[in-house]
DNA sequence: AACGTGGGCAACCGCCAATTT
DNA sequence: GAAATTGGCGGTTGCCCACGT
């Protein structure tokens, strides 16, 4: 911490720097609660603080905000941070956006002071050549195992097994939050479900029979060819949603499936499909019960996906959400606190 | 008790992008 | 359209404190 100090800026009359006093906290807190957030330089002035707006903003965001969660990080939060960092790197604000009540500064400090060290110890114990944490590259595909969780690369590896015969149901007690989705898929009369860790799976059709669900899922999410077997390969995730992102919806209208506000997805050739007849409930169940429905196939061009959204989704956003799919491996997280 | 050391963390710095003037 | 201002972010600093010697 810093000693309270005073700086004499060019245009500022001795703006204070350093530690915030309880009196300053009171002033800022009272002002924010009574008047709400405006221009931060106005906040500083109107609250009667000898601080720059930036300093007020930081103090509010990192310390005074009422919705901040206090105390140590839970093991769940810790594992999520590790996992998110493996996907996002040092994008602390993005990580913080998925940990309610935590700030980027807090997570950054926690990472640098605790996790970094721990991971370094682990890596030096397991690999004599990997003692440097900085050698870790979140963008590399071979970072399969992070914090003990299976990531998509691992999932994909399992598809390389001989799938001449489609693997059938392998239900090892999926988490309750996904039950609806899983049950919907599993109730399909034609297709298989390859479940590798209870929160992701692959849904196959064994042929091009247009009467089965996979055909329609295929129409929605595109088709893949796995060892010669045509089908839909999709993952179902429960990702803590960003506050700013609306829920995904799929609606049926005039025999057209309309997809809106999809957080992250690979979609087929168009967002709207004309289908003569289909029970949309199943598809709606799938989408409404997950935040992300994601096909594994990574080969689709990013700009093609972007075009589907008519510019509503930027390439960067899509890339980010693409990376975010692996957060699904955290079925135990409770974000209600 | 005195000193050194390292961890934890609040807050600053500098940069950049977006917005306003 | 240019300049100024503001907001947001990641990196870094430096103080306090606990702990070991």
């Amino acid at each position: 911490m810093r000693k309270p100090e005073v700086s004499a800026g060019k245009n500022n009359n001795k703006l204070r720097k350093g530690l915030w006093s309880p009196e300053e906290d009171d002033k800022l807190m009272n002002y924010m609660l009574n008047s709400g957030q405006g221009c931060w330089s106005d906040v500083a002035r109107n609250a009667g603080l000898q601080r720059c707006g930036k300093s007020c903003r930081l103090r509010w965001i990192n310390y005074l905000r009422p919705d901040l969660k206090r105390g140590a990080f839970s093991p769940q939060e810790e594992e999520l941070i590790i996992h998110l960092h493996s996907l996002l790197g040092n994008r602390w604000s993005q990580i913080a956006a998925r940990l309610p009540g935590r700030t980027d500064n807090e997570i950054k400090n926690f990472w640098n002071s605790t996790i970094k060290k721990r991971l370094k110890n682990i890596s030096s114990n397991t690999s004599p050549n990997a003692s440097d944490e900085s050698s870790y590259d979140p963008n590399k595909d071979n970072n399969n195992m992070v914090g003990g969780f299976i990531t998509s690369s691992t999932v994909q590896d399992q598809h390389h097994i001989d799938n001449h015969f489609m693997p059938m149901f392998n239900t090892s007690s999926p988490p309750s939050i996904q039950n609806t989705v899983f049950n919907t898929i599993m109730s399909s009369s034609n297709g298989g479900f390859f479940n590798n860790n209870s929160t992701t799976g692959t849904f196959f059709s064994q042929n091009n029979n247009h009467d089965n669900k996979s055909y329609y899922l295929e129409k929605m999410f595109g088709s893949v060819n796995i060892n010669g077997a045509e089908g839909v390969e999709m993952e179902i995730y429960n990702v803590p949603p960003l506050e700013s992102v609306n829920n995904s919806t799929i609606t049926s209208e005039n025999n057209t499936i309309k997809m809106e506000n999809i957080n992250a997805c690979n979609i087929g050739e168009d967002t709207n499909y004309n289908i003569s007849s289909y029970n949309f409930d199943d598809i709606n169940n799938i989408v409404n019960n997950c935040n992300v429905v994601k096909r594994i196939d990574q080969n689709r061009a990013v700009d093609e996906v972007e075009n589907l959204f008519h510019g509503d989704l930027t390439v960067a956003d899509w890339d980010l959400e693409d990376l975010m799919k692996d957060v699904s491996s955290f079925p135990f997280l409770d974000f209600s606190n």
Side-chain angles (χ1 to χ4, degrees), chain A residues 85-219:
Chain A
H85 187 271
S86 75
L87 302 172
L88 300 170
N90 291 358
R91 285 185 266 191
W92 305 115
S93 60
Q94 293 287 341
I95 295 174
R98 289 168 171 86
L99 278 111
R102 300 297 188 179
T103 69
D104 53 355
N105 205 40
E106 193 178 14
I107 294 169
K108 179 172 58 182
N109 283 333
F110 182 58
W111 178 270
N112 287 330
S113 64
T114 307
I115 300 182
K116 207 171 177 179
K117 237 171 293 164
R118 195 174 304 164
L119 291 180
K120 194 173 179 177
N121 289 338
I122 292 172
S123 70
S124 63
N125 288 337
T126 55
S127 168
N129 297 326
S131 58
D132 185 3
E133 184 267 348
S134 64
S135 66
Y136 179 80
D137 183 352
N139 296 319
K140 284 183 180 171
D141 284 342
N142 59 359
N143 296 319
N144 286 341
M145 299 299 291
V146 180
F149 290 90
I150 301 171
T151 64
S152 67
S153 300
T154 309
V155 174
Q156 286 176 299
D157 287 345
Q158 297 196 22
H159 296 147
H160 298 318
I161 65 174
D162 183 3
N163 274 334
H164 210 70
F165 299 97
M166 289 295 102
M168 288 295 108
F169 301 147
N170 172 18
T171 60
S172 53
S173 302
S176 58
I177 195 162
Q178 271 93 18
N179 271 349
T180 306
V181 180
F182 281 1
N183 289 340
T184 301
I185 296 176
M186 287 178 176
S187 63
S188 165
S189 60
N190 193 350
F193 187 72
F194 180 26
N195 182 12
N196 84 312
N197 70 350
S198 299
T199 59
T200 65
T202 305
F203 184 70
F204 299 103
S205 65
Q206 295 182 9
N207 50 47
N208 281 330
N209 178 357
H210 289 188
D211 292 332
N212 66 35
K213 281 189 183 64
S214 67
Y215 170 72
Y216 295 104
L217 290 170
E218 189 174 323
K219 290 295 268 183

Side-chain angles (χ1 to χ4, degrees), chain A residues 24-53:
Chain A
E24 288 178 306
D25 280 346
D26 282 346
K27 282 182 180 176
L28 181 56
M29 178 73 98
N30 287 334
Y31 181 84
M32 292 301 291
L33 294 179
N34 292 327
S35 305
Q37 183 179 326
C39 172
W40 282 108
S41 51
D42 290 343
V43 169
R45 198 179 314 117
N46 297 337
L49 291 161
Q50 301 295 316
R51 297 269 181 178
C52 67

